[in-house]
mmCIF file of all heavy atoms in Angstrom:
data_model
loop_
_atom_site.group_PDB
_atom_site.id
_atom_site.type_symbol
_atom_site.label_atom_id
_atom_site.label_comp_id
_atom_site.label_asym_id
_atom_site.label_seq_id
_atom_site.Cartn_x
_atom_site.Cartn_y
_atom_site.Cartn_z
ATOM 1 N N ASP A 1 0.789 -1.271 -0.006
ATOM 2 C CA ASP A 1 0.013 0.015 -0.006
ATOM 3 C C ASP A 1 0.810 1.281 0.018
ATOM 4 O O ASP A 1 0.293 2.341 -0.356
ATOM 5 C CB ASP A 1 -0.947 0.017 1.237
ATOM 6 C CG ASP A 1 -2.020 -1.075 1.152
ATOM 7 O OD1 ASP A 1 -1.858 -1.939 0.303
ATOM 8 O OD2 ASP A 1 -2.948 -1.028 2.001
ATOM 9 N N TYR A 2 2.096 1.229 0.419
ATOM 10 C CA TYR A 2 2.869 2.442 0.575
ATOM 11 C C TYR A 2 4.246 2.380 -0.148
ATOM 12 O O TYR A 2 5.134 3.191 0.139
ATOM 13 C CB TYR A 2 3.089 2.717 2.036
ATOM 14 C CG TYR A 2 1.826 2.919 2.810
ATOM 15 C CD1 TYR A 2 1.273 1.875 3.548
ATOM 16 C CD2 TYR A 2 1.133 4.120 2.788
ATOM 17 C CE1 TYR A 2 0.074 2.023 4.215
ATOM 18 C CE2 TYR A 2 -0.074 4.385 3.498
ATOM 19 C CZ TYR A 2 -0.571 3.261 4.196
ATOM 20 O OH TYR A 2 -1.782 3.421 4.871
ATOM 21 N N GLY A 3 4.421 1.460 -1.064
ATOM 22 C CA GLY A 3 5.613 1.422 -1.818
ATOM 23 C C GLY A 3 6.850 1.112 -0.999
ATOM 24 O O GLY A 3 7.946 1.473 -1.395
ATOM 25 N N GLY A 4 6.613 0.458 0.138
ATOM 26 C CA GLY A 4 7.745 0.178 1.002
ATOM 27 C C GLY A 4 8.244 1.284 1.879
ATOM 28 O O GLY A 4 9.242 1.141 2.585
ATOM 29 N N GLU A 5 7.517 2.463 1.803
ATOM 30 C CA GLU A 5 7.910 3.585 2.624
ATOM 31 C C GLU A 5 6.989 3.707 3.832
ATOM 32 O O GLU A 5 5.800 3.495 3.747
ATOM 33 C CB GLU A 5 7.829 4.874 1.762
ATOM 34 C CG GLU A 5 8.719 4.850 0.583
ATOM 35 C CD GLU A 5 10.149 4.904 0.970
ATOM 36 O OE1 GLU A 5 10.532 5.532 2.030
ATOM 37 O OE2 GLU A 5 11.081 4.286 0.260
ATOM 38 N N VAL A 6 7.557 4.155 4.994
ATOM 39 C CA VAL A 6 6.774 4.397 6.177
ATOM 40 C C VAL A 6 6.068 5.766 6.025
ATOM 41 O O VAL A 6 6.721 6.755 5.828
ATOM 42 C CB VAL A 6 7.638 4.353 7.452
ATOM 43 C CG1 VAL A 6 6.830 4.742 8.667
ATOM 44 C CG2 VAL A 6 8.296 3.032 7.623
ATOM 45 N N PRO A 7 4.763 5.769 6.071
ATOM 46 C CA PRO A 7 3.991 7.084 5.950
ATOM 47 C C PRO A 7 4.284 8.007 7.159
ATOM 48 O O PRO A 7 4.534 7.486 8.244
ATOM 49 C CB PRO A 7 2.541 6.588 5.854
ATOM 50 C CG PRO A 7 2.496 5.328 6.614
ATOM 51 C CD PRO A 7 3.806 4.624 6.297
ATOM 52 N N ASP A 8 4.242 9.295 6.863
ATOM 53 C CA ASP A 8 4.470 10.268 7.947
ATOM 54 C C ASP A 8 3.178 10.807 8.561
ATOM 55 O O ASP A 8 3.254 11.666 9.407
ATOM 56 C CB ASP A 8 5.361 11.402 7.472
ATOM 57 C CG ASP A 8 4.695 12.219 6.371
ATOM 58 O OD1 ASP A 8 3.618 11.846 5.915
ATOM 59 O OD2 ASP A 8 5.300 13.305 5.972
ATOM 60 N N ASP A 9 2.036 10.304 8.059
ATOM 61 C CA ASP A 9 0.749 10.809 8.553
ATOM 62 C C ASP A 9 0.185 9.804 9.567
ATOM 63 O O ASP A 9 0.156 8.617 9.354
ATOM 64 C CB ASP A 9 -0.230 10.932 7.367
ATOM 65 C CG ASP A 9 -1.563 11.426 7.836
ATOM 66 O OD1 ASP A 9 -1.692 12.730 8.026
ATOM 67 O OD2 ASP A 9 -2.512 10.596 7.981
ATOM 68 N N ALA A 10 -0.263 10.323 10.705
ATOM 69 C CA ALA A 10 -0.732 9.475 11.769
ATOM 70 C C ALA A 10 -1.946 8.608 11.341
ATOM 71 O O ALA A 10 -2.050 7.451 11.730
ATOM 72 C CB ALA A 10 -1.191 10.337 12.962
ATOM 73 N N LYS A 11 -2.829 9.163 10.578
ATOM 74 C CA LYS A 11 -4.008 8.439 10.028
ATOM 75 C C LYS A 11 -3.597 7.238 9.213
ATOM 76 O O LYS A 11 -4.264 6.216 9.211
ATOM 77 C CB LYS A 11 -4.918 9.330 9.263
ATOM 78 C CG LYS A 11 -5.587 10.413 10.101
ATOM 79 C CD LYS A 11 -6.542 11.246 9.282
ATOM 80 C CE LYS A 11 -7.216 12.352 10.137
ATOM 81 N NZ LYS A 11 -8.103 13.200 9.352
ATOM 82 N N GLU A 12 -2.499 7.346 8.491
ATOM 83 C CA GLU A 12 -2.024 6.239 7.686
ATOM 84 C C GLU A 12 -1.229 5.279 8.605
ATOM 85 O O GLU A 12 -1.370 4.015 8.358
ATOM 86 C CB GLU A 12 -1.100 6.756 6.580
ATOM 87 C CG GLU A 12 -1.859 7.640 5.567
ATOM 88 C CD GLU A 12 -3.031 6.978 4.952
ATOM 89 O OE1 GLU A 12 -2.934 5.789 4.534
ATOM 90 O OE2 GLU A 12 -4.141 7.592 4.829
ATOM 91 N N LEU A 13 -0.478 5.787 9.508
ATOM 92 C CA LEU A 13 0.325 4.897 10.348
ATOM 93 C C LEU A 13 -0.556 3.875 11.131
ATOM 94 O O LEU A 13 -0.244 2.745 11.303
ATOM 95 C CB LEU A 13 1.176 5.705 11.325
ATOM 96 C CG LEU A 13 2.456 6.341 10.731
ATOM 97 C CD1 LEU A 13 3.074 7.372 11.663
ATOM 98 C CD2 LEU A 13 3.508 5.267 10.376
ATOM 99 N N VAL A 14 -1.624 4.438 11.733
ATOM 100 C CA VAL A 14 -2.462 3.556 12.573
ATOM 101 C C VAL A 14 -3.277 2.505 11.772
ATOM 102 O O VAL A 14 -3.919 1.633 12.357
ATOM 103 C CB VAL A 14 -3.465 4.397 13.457
ATOM 104 C CG1 VAL A 14 -2.661 5.265 14.436
ATOM 105 C CG2 VAL A 14 -4.408 5.250 12.621
ATOM 106 N N LYS A 15 -3.224 2.616 10.454
ATOM 107 C CA LYS A 15 -3.854 1.604 9.663
ATOM 108 C C LYS A 15 -2.976 0.363 9.552
ATOM 109 O O LYS A 15 -3.501 -0.737 9.285
ATOM 110 C CB LYS A 15 -4.051 2.078 8.160
ATOM 111 C CG LYS A 15 -5.076 3.210 8.026
ATOM 112 C CD LYS A 15 -5.139 3.644 6.558
ATOM 113 C CE LYS A 15 -6.205 4.767 6.388
ATOM 114 N NZ LYS A 15 -6.222 5.215 4.977
ATOM 115 N N LEU A 16 -1.708 0.476 9.932
ATOM 116 C CA LEU A 16 -0.745 -0.629 9.844
ATOM 117 C C LEU A 16 -1.042 -1.559 11.031
ATOM 118 O O LEU A 16 -1.315 -1.155 12.120
ATOM 119 C CB LEU A 16 0.678 -0.115 9.956
ATOM 120 C CG LEU A 16 1.140 0.736 8.794
ATOM 121 C CD1 LEU A 16 2.498 1.417 9.155
ATOM 122 C CD2 LEU A 16 1.213 0.031 7.473
ATOM 123 N N PRO A 17 -1.012 -2.890 10.795
ATOM 124 C CA PRO A 17 -1.261 -3.846 11.850
ATOM 125 C C PRO A 17 -0.299 -3.676 13.043
ATOM 126 O O PRO A 17 0.924 -3.519 12.869
ATOM 127 C CB PRO A 17 -0.960 -5.213 11.155
ATOM 128 C CG PRO A 17 -1.252 -4.902 9.671
ATOM 129 C CD PRO A 17 -0.810 -3.514 9.453
ATOM 130 N N GLY A 18 -0.846 -3.627 14.229
ATOM 131 C CA GLY A 18 -0.076 -3.539 15.438
ATOM 132 C C GLY A 18 0.330 -2.131 15.834
ATOM 133 O O GLY A 18 0.960 -1.873 16.813
ATOM 134 N N VAL A 19 -0.004 -1.152 14.969
ATOM 135 C CA VAL A 19 0.328 0.231 15.213
ATOM 136 C C VAL A 19 -0.790 1.026 15.812
ATOM 137 O O VAL A 19 -1.835 1.205 15.157
ATOM 138 C CB VAL A 19 0.885 0.926 13.943
ATOM 139 C CG1 VAL A 19 1.188 2.388 14.175
ATOM 140 C CG2 VAL A 19 2.107 0.144 13.408
ATOM 141 N N GLY A 20 -0.602 1.488 17.049
ATOM 142 C CA GLY A 20 -1.657 2.349 17.631
ATOM 143 C C GLY A 20 -1.192 3.804 17.687
ATOM 144 O O GLY A 20 -0.181 4.177 17.166
ATOM 145 N N ARG A 21 -1.923 4.589 18.406
ATOM 146 C CA ARG A 21 -1.701 6.026 18.469
ATOM 147 C C ARG A 21 -0.320 6.316 19.050
ATOM 148 O O ARG A 21 0.467 7.230 18.575
ATOM 149 C CB ARG A 21 -2.771 6.764 19.238
ATOM 150 C CG ARG A 21 -2.683 8.231 19.252
ATOM 151 C CD ARG A 21 -3.825 8.882 20.074
ATOM 152 N NE ARG A 21 -3.699 10.382 19.978
ATOM 153 C CZ ARG A 21 -4.267 11.092 19.033
ATOM 154 N NH1 ARG A 21 -4.978 10.473 18.086
ATOM 155 N NH2 ARG A 21 -4.153 12.441 19.030
ATOM 156 N N LYS A 22 0.051 5.601 20.148
ATOM 157 C CA LYS A 22 1.300 5.892 20.789
ATOM 158 C C LYS A 22 2.497 5.622 19.805
ATOM 159 O O LYS A 22 3.411 6.398 19.666
ATOM 160 C CB LYS A 22 1.511 5.029 22.037
ATOM 161 C CG LYS A 22 2.701 5.372 22.879
ATOM 162 C CD LYS A 22 3.173 4.223 23.704
ATOM 163 C CE LYS A 22 3.965 3.231 22.856
ATOM 164 N NZ LYS A 22 4.697 2.158 23.618
ATOM 165 N N THR A 23 2.467 4.488 19.159
ATOM 166 C CA THR A 23 3.494 4.139 18.204
ATOM 167 C C THR A 23 3.554 5.174 17.080
ATOM 168 O O THR A 23 4.666 5.553 16.661
ATOM 169 C CB THR A 23 3.281 2.720 17.618
ATOM 170 O OG1 THR A 23 3.369 1.769 18.722
ATOM 171 C CG2 THR A 23 4.343 2.331 16.641
ATOM 172 N N ALA A 24 2.411 5.510 16.557
ATOM 173 C CA ALA A 24 2.388 6.485 15.508
ATOM 174 C C ALA A 24 2.987 7.813 15.945
ATOM 175 O O ALA A 24 3.729 8.459 15.150
ATOM 176 C CB ALA A 24 0.921 6.728 15.037
ATOM 177 N N ASN A 25 2.696 8.229 17.152
ATOM 178 C CA ASN A 25 3.289 9.464 17.657
ATOM 179 C C ASN A 25 4.713 9.412 17.796
ATOM 180 O O ASN A 25 5.497 10.402 17.607
ATOM 181 C CB ASN A 25 2.610 9.862 18.980
ATOM 182 C CG ASN A 25 1.180 10.457 18.774
ATOM 183 O OD1 ASN A 25 0.793 10.857 17.672
ATOM 184 N ND2 ASN A 25 0.426 10.532 19.836
ATOM 185 N N VAL A 26 5.245 8.276 18.249
ATOM 186 C CA VAL A 26 6.711 8.116 18.360
ATOM 187 C C VAL A 26 7.397 8.230 17.018
ATOM 188 O O VAL A 26 8.400 8.946 16.903
ATOM 189 C CB VAL A 26 7.073 6.696 18.966
ATOM 190 C CG1 VAL A 26 8.585 6.430 18.849
ATOM 191 C CG2 VAL A 26 6.645 6.606 20.430
ATOM 192 N N LEU A 27 6.783 7.628 16.036
ATOM 193 C CA LEU A 27 7.403 7.754 14.639
ATOM 194 C C LEU A 27 7.396 9.177 14.136
ATOM 195 O O LEU A 27 8.327 9.662 13.617
ATOM 196 C CB LEU A 27 6.600 6.841 13.682
ATOM 197 C CG LEU A 27 7.139 5.448 13.370
ATOM 198 C CD1 LEU A 27 8.404 5.572 12.513
ATOM 199 C CD2 LEU A 27 7.402 4.623 14.603
ATOM 200 N N GLN A 28 6.267 9.830 14.388
ATOM 201 C CA GLN A 28 6.154 11.215 13.907
ATOM 202 C C GLN A 28 7.127 12.101 14.585
ATOM 203 O O GLN A 28 7.796 12.968 13.970
ATOM 204 C CB GLN A 28 4.742 11.686 14.094
ATOM 205 C CG GLN A 28 3.696 11.094 13.110
ATOM 206 C CD GLN A 28 2.378 11.795 13.219
ATOM 207 O OE1 GLN A 28 1.738 11.797 14.222
ATOM 208 N NE2 GLN A 28 2.005 12.405 12.110
ATOM 209 N N ALA A 29 7.320 11.917 15.915
ATOM 210 C CA ALA A 29 8.229 12.808 16.659
ATOM 211 C C ALA A 29 9.697 12.475 16.369
ATOM 212 O O ALA A 29 10.503 13.357 16.090
ATOM 213 C CB ALA A 29 7.931 12.694 18.141
ATOM 214 N N VAL A 30 10.061 11.217 16.529
ATOM 215 C CA VAL A 30 11.475 10.844 16.441
ATOM 216 C C VAL A 30 12.020 10.861 15.070
ATOM 217 O O VAL A 30 13.087 11.369 14.831
ATOM 218 C CB VAL A 30 11.648 9.389 17.082
ATOM 219 C CG1 VAL A 30 13.084 8.974 16.907
ATOM 220 C CG2 VAL A 30 11.304 9.437 18.549
#
């Protein structure tokens, strides 16, 4: 779905299996 790239949008990140709001926020911040 993303061409092998990690999306930078929280709404897209939380669509990934096992990824919740906390994990998405860590990716966005770090």
Side-chain angles (χ1 to χ4, degrees):
D1 294 12
Y2 300 97
E5 298 293 327
V6 176
D8 64 354
D9 180 78
K11 292 181 179 179
E12 298 302 316
L13 283 167
V14 296
K15 292 179 182 178
L16 298 169
V19 177
R21 186 179 183 88
K22 189 205 78 172
T23 297
N25 282 345
V26 169
L27 262 291
Q28 287 191 298
V30 175

